[in-house]
């Protein structure tokens, strides 16, 4: 039987921290542990496998906003983390009430460590205990995988293969498509149907989700419903060991990934700028209407394997059809926009992407609207250009949400994209100099930032009050700055033809 959370909290190495369960105490009574991990990274959830007790200090959480704190808890719960223990002290005197409420709602045991203990010592002591548990679980999981392989070799269907797994882990097993449709299911023969509404929270089944990829493409999801008292870690280990067998069974049941293979080939063709007839041919094979409105998406990250599954699930829900492809440190995608209003659907897709788990050093760009697959290469190249412009400007554009995973709308950089594509560097700099030379000299000589003030004012639609708020200055001070700017630029540009030229110049000036 797996090691339980209560046993670990009472272990001398952790008991010295005076732990107190602040949320989901009933769930804690039956929580089983697979491993203990320590991290101060707030965006750690995608890197965990589930079943861990996460130990963390309070400093990073103390500096995070309430929204980030709540998302931290929710993402850990969604990932299947067993429990999280947070050290309180000078930086974080107590656990924030919003975090406690979110943990209670999610059923994630939240523990306050009121004393300081060396996390390394705790992990060394307790993980050595958990290793012996895992050896036994791996042996039984391998037995389950072998039995499922034998069933598959003898022509067994998905239901019979899942029945083997269900009988060994004593849990209900369901295989679903990425859209949520049930492909097969099984229950252990001795299982009795119980009304979950009559059970106490700690007696209800624990749900474990496991992704099932085929040829590197997410194809299905395995859902394990483990009753109270059964070994959750055995179920998780056996479920992960069964992924390859299930993938083979899925390939026998349906066409051998033709749609996914065509989708990857389509993205490669778009990326290489293939001729329109070839793109139309591949689009049809990938299930993408060649004439449909679509957008290209580029994601750059060192953690694409963690991001790929949630991105594909998001596109399955939010796009009429889609295709993805991973190349080096980029995930490329095209998404057909549903409905009669492609621009509105594009905004909805942007909003959905901003809801993805935040990962450090990740950038996402959504390209301009393409009228059909023949325009997809332009949307893809403009997405890449947007990422390069955002990096060159060293700032998150107004369309980005969140500090760690900005999702950039290429339309925010429409002027810069046009200028980079149409003007060489020398012509851009000459134009900026003609329009803003005196202002640039003033900033250089006096170490002022009047160019930033002018850019903010123009971006706000010449709304002086709004610009003052964005720059955190008094309105009177803003008026004084504008007066000096107008003197340097040859007068108030409003209601003149120079307004557009000045606005263009301020944006090009940021490109250098």
């Amino acid at each position: 039987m797996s090691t339980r959370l209560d046993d670990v909290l009472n272990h001398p190495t952790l008991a010295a921290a005076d732990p107190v369960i602040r949320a989901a105490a009933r769930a804690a009574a039956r929580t089983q542990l697979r491993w203990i991990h320590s991290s101060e990274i707030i965006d750690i959830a995608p890197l965990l496998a589930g079943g861990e007790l996460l130990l963390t200090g309070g400093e990073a959480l103390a500096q995070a906003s309430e929204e980030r704190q709540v998302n931290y808890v929710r993402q850990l719960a969604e990932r299947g983390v067993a429990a999280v223990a947070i050290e309180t002290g000078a930086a974080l005197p107590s656990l924030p009430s919003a975090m406690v409420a979110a943990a209670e709602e999610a059923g994630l045991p939240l523990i306050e460590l009121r004393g300081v203990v060396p996390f390394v010592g705790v992990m060394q002591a307790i993980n050595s205990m958990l290793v012996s548990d895992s050896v036994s679980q791996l042996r039984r999981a391998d037995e389950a995988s072998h039995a499922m392989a034998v069933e598959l070799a003898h022509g067994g269907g998905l239901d019979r293969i899942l029945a083997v797994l269900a009988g060994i882990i004593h849990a209900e097993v369901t295989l679903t498509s990425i859209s949520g449709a049930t492909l097969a299911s099984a229950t252990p023969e001795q299982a009795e149907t119980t009304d979950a509404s009559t059970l106490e929270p700690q007696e209800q089944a624990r749900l474990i989700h496991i992704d099932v990829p085929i040829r590197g493409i997410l194809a299905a999801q395995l859902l394990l419903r483990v009753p109270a008292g059964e070994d959750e870690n055995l179920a998780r280990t056996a479920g992960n060991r069964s992924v390859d067998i299930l993938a083979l069974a899925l390939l026998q049941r349906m066409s051998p990934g033709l749609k996914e293979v065509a989708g990857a080939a389509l993205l490669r063709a778009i990326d290489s700028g293939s001729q329109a007839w070839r793109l139309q041919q591949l689009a049809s094979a990938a299930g993408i209407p060649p004439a449909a409105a679509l957008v290209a998406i580029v994601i750059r990250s060192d953690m694409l394997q963690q991001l790929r599954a949630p991105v594909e699930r998001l596109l399955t829900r939010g796009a009429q059809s889609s295709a993805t492809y991973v190349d080096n440190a980029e995930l490329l995608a095209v998404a057909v926009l549903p409905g009669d209003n492609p621009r509105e659907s594009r905004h909805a897709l942007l909003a959905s992407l901003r809801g993805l788990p935040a990962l450090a050093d990740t950038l996402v760009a959504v390209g301009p609207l393409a009228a059909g697959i023949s325009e997809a290469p332009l949307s893809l190249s403009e997405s890449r250009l947007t990422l390069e412009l955002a990096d060159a400007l060293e700032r998150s554009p107004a369309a980005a949400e969140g500090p760690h995973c900005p999702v950039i709308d290429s339309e925010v950089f429409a002027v810069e994209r046009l200028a980079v594509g149409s003007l060489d560097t020398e012509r851009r700099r000459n134009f900026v100099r003609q329009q803003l030379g005196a202002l640039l000299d003033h900033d250089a000589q006096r170490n002022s930032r009047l160019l930033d003030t002018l850019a903010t004012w123009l971006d706000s639609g010449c709304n002086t009050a709004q610009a003052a708020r964005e720059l955190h200055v008094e309105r009177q001070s803003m008026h004084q700055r504008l007066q000096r700017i107008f003197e340097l630029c040859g007068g108030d540009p409003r209601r003149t033809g120079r307004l557009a030229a000045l606005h263009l110049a301020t944006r090009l000036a940021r490109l250098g």
Side-chain angles (χ1 to χ4, degrees):
M1 183 59 69
S2 293
T3 301
R4 294 185 178 271
L5 178 60
D6 285 345
D7 300 328
V8 170
L9 295 181
N10 290 323
H11 191 276
T13 59
L14 196 54
D18 194 15
V20 177
I21 300 174
R22 298 299 188 191
R26 287 188 169 183
R30 60 152 290 191
T31 297
Q32 302 171 12
L33 299 185
R34 183 184 62 83
W35 199 247
I36 293 189
H37 186 69
S38 170
S39 176
E40 305 305 316
I41 300 173
I42 293 183
D43 300 320
I44 189 64
L47 305 181
L48 300 176
E52 299 94 346
L53 167 60
L54 178 63
L55 306 177
T56 184
E59 291 188 8
L61 287 168
Q63 297 173 8
S65 65
E66 180 178 301
E67 181 181 4
R68 291 278 289 147
Q69 292 171 346
V70 170
N71 285 338
Y72 173 78
V73 169
R74 289 175 177 168
Q75 289 169 9
L76 291 176
E78 290 171 1
R79 195 64 179 171
V81 169
V84 58
I86 302 173
E87 190 178 88
T88 54
L92 188 71
S94 62
L95 299 185
S97 58
M99 288 186 67
V100 174
E104 188 69 42
E105 180 182 357
L108 174 68
L110 184 63
I111 300 150
E112 178 184 358
L113 302 179
R114 297 181 292 183
V116 177
V117 293
F119 286 171
V120 171
V122 173
M123 291 187 293
Q124 287 177 341
I126 298 176
N127 282 338
S128 62
M129 296 167 39
L130 295 172
V131 165
S132 61
D133 290 338
S134 65
V135 169
S136 173
Q137 291 154 3
L138 284 171
R139 180 181 55 77
R140 295 182 64 191
D142 286 340
E143 291 173 358
S145 177
H146 177 72
M148 294 170 71
V150 170
E151 186 66 47
L152 175 63
H154 285 81
L158 280 171
D159 287 320
R160 292 183 62 182
I161 294 171
L162 291 183
V164 173
L165 178 61
I168 291 175
I169 65 175
H170 305 299
E172 180 183 344
V173 181
T174 304
L175 187 68
T176 68
S177 67
I178 55 175
S179 62
T182 298
L183 301 176
S185 63
T187 56
E189 293 182 0
Q190 70 272 28
E192 297 180 1
T193 303
T194 305
D195 184 359
S197 63
T198 65
L199 298 176
E200 293 294 327
Q202 72 271 23
E203 297 174 332
Q204 294 183 11
R206 178 68 62 89
L207 299 179
I208 297 174
H209 299 264
I210 297 172
D211 291 336
V212 181
I214 297 178
R215 296 174 180 171
I217 298 171
L218 181 65
Q221 191 170 68
L222 185 64
L223 175 63
L224 310 178
R225 190 180 299 272
V226 186
E230 296 297 342
D231 194 333
E232 297 169 17
N233 290 333
L234 170 63
R236 182 179 284 105
T237 303
N240 282 312
R241 291 279 174 152
S242 71
V243 164
D244 290 340
I245 303 300
L246 293 173
L248 287 173
L250 285 169
L251 281 172
Q252 290 184 4
R253 169 177 172 149
M254 45 191 178
S255 61
L258 175 61
K259 181 177 177 181
E260 288 78 10
V261 171
L266 172 63
L267 263 302
R268 290 195 297 270
I270 292 172
D271 193 22
S272 63
S274 295
Q275 295 182 352
W277 67 266
R278 177 59 173 163
L279 298 181
Q280 292 170 0
Q281 183 183 59
L282 289 170
S284 297
I288 293 178
L294 54 85
V295 292
I297 301 166
V298 177
I299 301 177
R300 289 179 181 169
S301 176
D302 294 331
M303 301 179 179
L304 290 179
Q305 295 306 317
Q306 289 79 16
L307 272 175
R308 185 169 188 172
V311 167
E312 291 183 342
R313 284 194 291 269
L314 181 151
L315 294 178
T316 299
R317 294 192 303 268
Q320 180 178 323
S321 55
S322 62
T324 62
Y325 175 66
V326 172
D327 181 24
N328 295 323
E330 285 188 341
L331 189 156
L332 310 179
V334 288
V336 175
L337 300 171
D340 299 328
N341 190 334
R343 293 194 178 277
E344 184 177 311
S345 298
R346 183 177 178 277
H347 287 308
L349 178 61
L350 276 162
S352 298
L353 286 167
R354 289 171 184 145
L356 286 172
L359 290 177
D361 300 322
T362 296
L363 282 174
V364 182
V366 177
L369 193 64
I373 197 65
S374 60
E375 295 183 9
L378 177 61
S379 183
L380 182 64
S381 64
E382 294 296 281
S383 296
R384 279 210 180 98
L385 178 57
T386 296
L387 290 180
E388 293 165 6
L389 289 169
D391 181 60
L393 295 175
E394 295 182 350
R395 67 181 181 89
S396 294
E401 293 286 342
H404 294 299
C405 185
V407 177
I408 307 170
D409 184 353
S410 63
E411 296 299 338
V412 172
F413 289 95
V415 169
E416 289 84 354
R417 289 189 289 109
L418 176 63
V420 169
S422 304
L423 302 173
D424 59 41
T425 302
E426 190 63 26
R427 293 189 65 182
R428 292 202 312 267
R429 289 175 177 171
N430 286 340
F431 178 79
V432 171
R433 189 73 198 171
Q434 290 169 5
Q435 301 298 322
L436 300 171
L439 182 61
L440 294 173
D441 290 340
H442 181 281
D443 277 354
Q445 294 166 5
R446 305 199 179 189
N447 197 27
S448 59
R449 301 188 63 179
L450 291 182
L451 177 61
D452 291 341
T453 299
L454 176 60
T456 302
W457 181 69
L458 290 169
D459 286 344
S460 71
C462 304
N463 187 322
T464 303
Q466 180 180 332
R469 286 193 297 271
E470 291 183 18
L471 293 169
H472 306 291
V473 300
E474 298 290 337
R475 186 179 298 187
Q476 186 61 35
S477 176
M478 186 69 190
H479 280 293
Q480 292 172 356
R481 290 191 192 184
L482 287 175
Q483 183 177 356
R484 183 60 180 143
I485 289 170
F486 295 161
E487 292 172 358
L488 293 167
C489 294
D492 188 339
R494 287 173 288 193
R495 294 178 295 278
T496 74
R498 295 189 61 249
L499 184 66
L502 280 178
H503 199 179
L504 175 59
T506 61
R507 300 189 70 160
L508 296 186
R510 300 178 226 183
L511 296 178

